[in-house]
Structure formats: C-alpha cells, structure tokens
Amino acid sequence: MAFDIDMIKKVYANFGPRVDAARKIVGRPLTLSEKILYAHLWDGDPKKAFSRGTDYVDFAPDRVAMQDATAQMALLQFMQAGRPQVAVPSTVHCDHLITAKEGAAIDLPHARTESAEVFDFLSSVSNKYGIGFWKPGAGIIHQVVLENYAFPGGMMIGTDSHTVNAGGLGMVAIGVGGADACDVMAGLPWELKFPKLIGVKLTGKLNGWTAAKDVILKVAGILTVKGGTGAIVEYFGDGAINLSCTGKGTICNMGAEIGATTSTFGYDESMERYLRSTDRNEVADEANKIKEYLTGDAEVYADPENYFDQVIEIDLNTLEPYLNGPFTPDLATPVSQMKVEAEKNGWPLKVEWGLIGSCTNSSYEDLSRAASIANQAISKGLKTKADFGINPGSEQVRYTANRDGYLKTFEDLNATIFTNACGPCIGMWDRTGAEKAEKNTIVHSFNRNFAKRADGNPNTFAFVASPEMVAAIAIAGDLGFNPLTDTLTNDKGEQVKLDPPTGDELPTKGFAVEDAGFQAPAADGSSVQVLVSPTSHRLQLLDPFTPWEGTDLKGLKLLIKAKGKCTTDHISMAGPWLKFRGHLDNISNNMLIGAVNYFNDKTDNVKNELTGEYGPVPATQRDYKAAGVGSIVVGDENYGEGSSREHAAMEPRHLGVRAVLVKSFARIHETNLKKQGMLGLTFANKEDYDKILEDDTIDILGLTEFAPDKPLTLVLHHADGTEEQFPVNHSYNAQQIEWFIAGGALNIIRREAALKAQG
C-alpha cells in the first residue's frame, strides 16, 4: 500500500517546474541534491541561487519520522504548540526501548510490559494528533520508512541521525532534533544551511565477498568522522546503478558516521524494483513520469569536478571487504590486513560475538547473503566459535525471511533471533558478563562502534563489517580470519573454505506479512486523552525554558573541559538511560558522565568550585543551579558527533549550563543547542582551548549587541588574579538569535499559538 500518495503526487507535480526554474536561476546543470533542495523551498518556486555552506534556507519537508526514544521529547514539545493535528505526514516507530537478551519471544513481551507507560503515551499522542504509529516489534524506524514511506525526490526529516537511510530511495532525508521536528509538524519552515556537495563516483560492480557496506566503510576511511560535515554526499556512476536499493540505503545510512548532512542516489531501476516489491506500484508509476528530474543532470555526472565541492572515485571491481574500528567507525582496515593490524595494536583476535542487524544492515538481501554463509557452515561441518545474534529490520523482513527458511538456517547455527528492533546497536543489549569490563572483541554490521555503545563495557573492541563478513568471522571466531584466502577446520578435521556469499536482492516469491504492526490515527483526535502521570519516572510534561535576561553572562564556572572525542553518547548515554527519554529531569542525571575531564583524565569527576571537592558532573551542575551560578562546558573537535539526540542539548539547558564552547561542532548538535536557547560558541583560535584552567571564572561579553557574524568576547578570570580574554565565534543568524533571546524556539511557537488563539 502506498501511504500518502496524494502528497507524493503533489510533490511530483511541482518538481519539474521548480527544477527548471532553479536551473535557469543558477545558470548551470544541477546535481540531484540541488534539484531536491530547490524543489522543497518554503517559499515555493526558486527565486535566487543559494551559496553552499553560507546561506541559511527555509525548507518545506514532506514528512517527519520519529523513533520512540526521541519521539517522547519531540511530542512533549509539540503538545505545547497549540495545533490540533500535525501539518505534514508523520510517524512514530517503537524500536529503541526493547532490550536484547534472550531472543524475541521473551524480550518483546518484556519490553511491552516494562515500557508500557511510554508506548501507551506514544500511541495515544499519535492517535490524537494524526500520527501513524508503528508498534513495538514492527521494526527499526529506518527500515520501515524505506519499505513504506521513502520516495524518490522527496525530503524528510527524522529525529534520529540515521534518517539518512532513506537516501537509498533517492530522498534528501536528514536527521534533526525533536525541536526541528516540532517546527515542521506545527506547520513552520525548517531551516538548514545550504549544504556543500561531495560527489562519489562509483564504477564497476561488486563481486565476491565485497558488499555495499564496504563502499561506505571505504568512504569513512577517506573522509573521517567529520569529513562530510555540512555536505550532502551524492553517489553516481554505473557502479551506483549496479547496487540494490537496500544496498544504497546501507551506504546512505552510515553517511551519518562521516558527519554528512545526508547522502543520496539518483532514481534508477533498482529503486523501481524495490518500490514495486514493497507494494508501491503507484509511487513507481508517478516517479517514472518525471524520472529525468529524479537524478543529477547528465552534464554533472560527465564532469563532476565542475559541480561538486569534492569528488571521490571508487572502483567496485577492485574494492576489498573492510573491517572498521575499534572505537570509531572511520578507522578502516581491509580484511586482508586485519590480522597484522590487530597484532600490532593489541586488539584481541578472539571474537566473542557476531551481530547482524541494525537500521544499517537488516534488509531481506542482507539476511539472505548472511544466511548463505551460515548454510555453507552447516553443510561443511562448521559451527560458530563466537556467539551469534540476528536483528531483522522489520516484521515484513522477518516474516518473509522466516518463510524462505533463512531464520531456521541461522537457528541451526545456534544463532539467537532478537526482536525486530535496534537492540545492541543502540546499547539495548543485556550482555552476560559485560559488567566484568573484560577486554574482548565483537564484530557487527551496525553503524557505530564508540566505546561502551553496544554493551556498556569500555573494553569491548567493536568492529564494523558487512553482514556476510560478520557471519564468516563469527564462524571462525577470529578477527584476523580472511574468508577470501583462509580455511577452517571442520568437525571431521578437514580444511574447508567458505565460498563467496550469494543472496536475493528481493524475495523471489514477494514480501509477505500477517501483521506489520501499524496503527492508523483517529480521523478526529479531539476527544483522545493524552495522560501523563505527575508521579511518573518515565514521562514529564515540559516547562518553558527561561528567556535571556538581557545582559552579558558573568561569573560562570567551568563545569567540565572535555578532552578528546565527546559524542552525544558521552553527553547523554543511551542503553539503560533510554527509559528516561521522556523525563527531562531524570535523564539529566546522565549529563556528560561519559566525557573525559581534561584536568584529571577521569569520567564523571569534576571539581565543584563551590565546595572545592570532586564529584559527578550532574550533581556538581545541580549545585551550581541551586546556588544561581551559571556554568560553561568546554569541548574539543567535532563536539556532539553521533546520534541526533536533543537530550544532549536539553540536559545542560535544564540544569543551568549557559554556554558550550568548543573547537568545532557536529551539525545536528549545534542546531539542537540553538533550538533550546543555548549559546553554542567556537574558539576563534583553537589554541585558546589550552588557556582555560580548572578554577577559572568566566565572562561572555558582547551579548547585548549579539548579531550575526559578530564575534563575542570570552574573559578568563584566573584563580591567581590574572585575566585573559580572546574572541569566540558563533554561527547564529537573526532568527536563531531570536530563539536565544526568547529562551528557545518553542517559546516563540507557544507565543504565536497563544496570539492566534486570542484572535
């Protein structure tokens, strides 16, 4: 069934004329990314050419997607917006709050009981405001979106950094914080700095053990975790056309790991096949009518250096399989070199777990190719030497894979079939023995492998690979195993070699499902009650943040000077903390507990300047708040990389942090800080980071003349009585300064809704 077909037809009706107008205004051929952006301007028809990386532009996304962990805060904010229904098609997907432990048969019912309060809240608020609701067990948000909602040439935002997965179906799909989602659902424009463009030309065809996953693992190694920041990555070439639609999705999904705004591919036959296979013939028919507009202009792809800010070329014929890690998704090592690298670096070679799934690699094709390796192992007398776990991407994928015998193959190899949910990928993994914090290695097909992310153990060395490579390494139990060249000893003592994987791009008998897990909203939700208990530990209605007091900020204490990598996992951990995503005060007890204190190299241990004692970061900040003392957080490069979770911005705001000063920001986190009325600042001179001392009292001057492109001044009052001052930069435009003055963007929405209600 094609959801929201009337909306899609409307987008396509306007698409061609708007692209034609943009081409005239820009005065040259256009990339696919530019076509989609110009076709989704808030003001309609393009009237000016925008400067990449400079101009802030208002867009009109076609839809919004939210997962259960982030939807709580997004919808708690939306409830304050004064609208009876969402302004654009929106969905909620319950995939994050399900712990993987025993297997789906036990884990899913347990999650439904444990998180019933949250699921009931999300179900009722969706029902009331016209939002499609996907129940626990229905599947992982991005796989479900690809199967049901993504469409070529569309624009969507989602409250999860891996919303970018929908680029596999030719969308510009972008991860945002809940406040951005709230704006769009409330019928307001969505603001984005017009992205730069990175072109990746793919030639040739994947073969042997190489998979679509290896394309993005290679790109991550080239661009690093911040090389795509502020840019859309557009893939093209005959190699791109040769990839499956879900393979394209995998590549776009992990684009979040290079900091890219999003990634996308032009519409082609693989996308048409996928649309028709997932019961969306009408969407395919409509896309075919304007297909020349749903890819980059031929001149662009013929001479990409003239149209992209950066061009990378990868030959799929010669691409090797990769293993990326540990602790960062951009440390790329060809499988052929892993044994040497592991021995050189002291990475444990014995593999304890192999995990297949997550929003990155849980499609039918992924499972079929991994199952072909599992089937070989069984027929050749091999068993897994590592524990083995599978997370199907959706109930439709699970049901079809089960019908076609793939799940039985995994189970015959002693694999655990977990729920159609994120599970270990988002830290919802109750792994036996993790509390011992022993040094160990796991391999998985997920997208992120930061320390502690999967199982909470800082000594788990996690490596990212394709599903088929994960299966092979789980069978071997050896990180250094190279299935292209190495043999294994079977139960008869024979040396056997695994053949390259095989699999079906799409099920030959078609997809099937009995109950996909979808709940349509009430036609009229005005009488639906959304109840939040005032004594709940999981949910808490929001109070407005306080507007700026109109003065410079003086007398701030340094809460923490974070050293090195500080992702949103470090700022607001997931795992067991996910249960508090709807309760701002309770989840604030995890604020920055994973950040490393520059002054003592410890986590969750900072000096309380009021008492002189060292203690946990949240408790210290609560002392400052109680005393009416503002504080500042200082960070390193690419601060806030990783998940889109706006809790990493809301928690400091809630507890009284006034500013975050860093060498550089990850895009989503900087926007989230701005939305919540926080000051997000960067060092004009990065060496000034070294000047900030533990006992400093800090002033931020120039706020009474806060204006775009005008630096502020930071004054350090050192404990020895000396002072230093230096400029700090910001990227606030006029509208974002209004958010700061009002105490947050939501306060402006509330104010406008109240004025509207008064007539």
Side-chain angles (χ1 to χ4, degrees), residues 651-666:
E651 292 172 30
R653 181 75 167 99
H654 172 66
L655 292 184
V657 176
R658 300 304 302 270
V660 179
L661 171 64
V662 300
K663 293 180 181 178
S664 65
F665 280 110

Side-chain angles (χ1 to χ4, degrees), residues 124-146:
S124 63
V125 76
S126 297
N127 202 25
K128 182 175 183 64
Y129 292 109
I131 299 168
F133 179 73
W134 290 81
K135 302 172 187 176
I140 304 172
I141 176 173
H142 310 304
Q143 179 66 30
V144 173
V145 166
L146 198 71

Side-chain angles (χ1 to χ4, degrees), residues 54-58 191-193 670 674 706-709 730-741:
T54 302
D55 289 340
Y56 282 95
V57 183
D58 284 343
E191 182 188 71
L192 177 73
K193 186 180 284 187
E670 183 178 23
K674 292 176 179 179
F706 197 10
D709 303 316
H730 67 85
S731 61
Y732 288 71
N733 60 25
Q735 177 177 275
Q736 293 165 348
I737 290 172
E738 288 301 313
W739 297 344
F740 171 75
I741 292 170

Side-chain angles (χ1 to χ4, degrees), residues 395-688:
E395 176 57 15
Q396 178 167 268
V397 165
R398 187 210 65 80
Y399 188 94
T400 307
N402 187 52
R403 178 201 67 190
D404 294 347
Y406 297 142
L407 298 192
K408 184 178 186 304
T409 297
F410 290 130
E411 289 171 336
D412 288 346
L413 203 60
N414 205 31
T416 301
I417 309 299
F418 292 123
T419 312
N420 315 318
C422 303
C425 181
I426 192 59
M428 294 296 282
W429 184 22
D430 190 353
R431 181 185 177 188
T432 302
E435 71 284 352
K436 298 176 185 176
E438 293 173 338
K439 189 175 180 179
N440 76 104
T441 287
I442 65 174
V443 292
H444 60 55
S445 67
F446 308 160
N447 34 46
R448 293 197 172 131
N449 57 348
F450 303 138
K452 301 185 182 181
R453 182 174 175 92
D455 62 2
N457 177 2
N459 298 312
T460 291
F461 289 62
F463 295 83
V464 183
S466 68
E468 44 268 60
M469 190 57 64
V470 170
I473 292 176
I475 292 162
D478 180 1
L479 183 65
F481 175 67
N482 180 3
L484 284 75
T485 58
D486 299 348
T487 60
L488 296 168
T489 305
N490 71 4
D491 54 7
K492 297 177 183 176
E494 302 165 336
Q495 292 300 298
V496 296
K497 193 166 181 290
L498 294 172
D499 299 320
T502 59
D504 293 321
E505 173 187 335
L506 297 163
T508 55
K509 292 188 285 187
F511 282 107
V513 68
E514 286 185 349
D515 179 5
F518 176 68
Q519 171 189 294
D524 179 2
S526 58
S527 62
V528 175
Q529 293 295 310
V530 179
L531 299 176
V532 176
S533 168
T535 60
S536 172
H537 293 290
R538 301 287 299 269
L539 297 164
Q540 179 189 46
L541 294 176
L542 294 176
D543 292 323
F545 287 134
T546 307
W548 174 54
E549 57 268 61
T551 61
D552 289 336
L553 301 180
K554 296 183 178 180
L556 304 180
K557 300 300 182 185
L558 176 67
L559 176 61
I560 187 171
K561 180 177 174 179
K563 179 181 178 181
K565 187 184 282 285
C566 192
T567 72
T568 48
D569 277 16
H570 295 85
I571 305 167
S572 176
M573 288 185 178
W577 291 94
L578 283 176
K579 68 171 68 77
F580 298 122
R581 283 284 180 87
H583 198 295
L584 183 55
D585 193 59
N586 282 346
I587 199 170
S588 293
N589 289 321
N590 78 358
M591 185 188 73
L592 285 159
I593 62 176
V596 176
N597 183 356
Y598 177 90
F599 298 105
N600 61 14
D601 283 330
K602 294 180 179 180
T603 58
D604 202 24
N605 188 268
V606 295
K607 186 176 182 180
N608 185 327
E609 293 297 327
L610 300 180
T611 66
E613 298 176 355
Y614 285 83
V617 182
T620 302
Q621 181 56 38
R622 287 185 187 274
D623 279 357
Y624 292 155
K625 182 178 182 179
V629 175
S631 64
I632 183 171
V633 169
V634 174
D636 214 317
E637 296 279 10
N638 207 28
Y639 182 88
E641 75 170 273
S643 297
S644 67
R645 65 192 68 147
E646 65 181 338
H647 299 76
M650 295 186 78
E651 292 172 30
R653 181 75 167 99
H654 172 66
L655 292 184
V657 176
R658 300 304 302 270
V660 179
L661 171 64
V662 300
K663 293 180 181 178
S664 65
F665 280 110
R667 175 191 62 84
I668 299 176
H669 187 64
E670 183 178 23
T671 300
N672 286 346
L673 289 169
K674 292 176 179 179
K675 283 280 185 177
Q676 302 302 334
M678 285 277 284
L679 270 181
L681 308 172
T682 55
F683 290 98
N685 182 347
K686 293 181 180 181
E687 286 70 32
D688 289 338

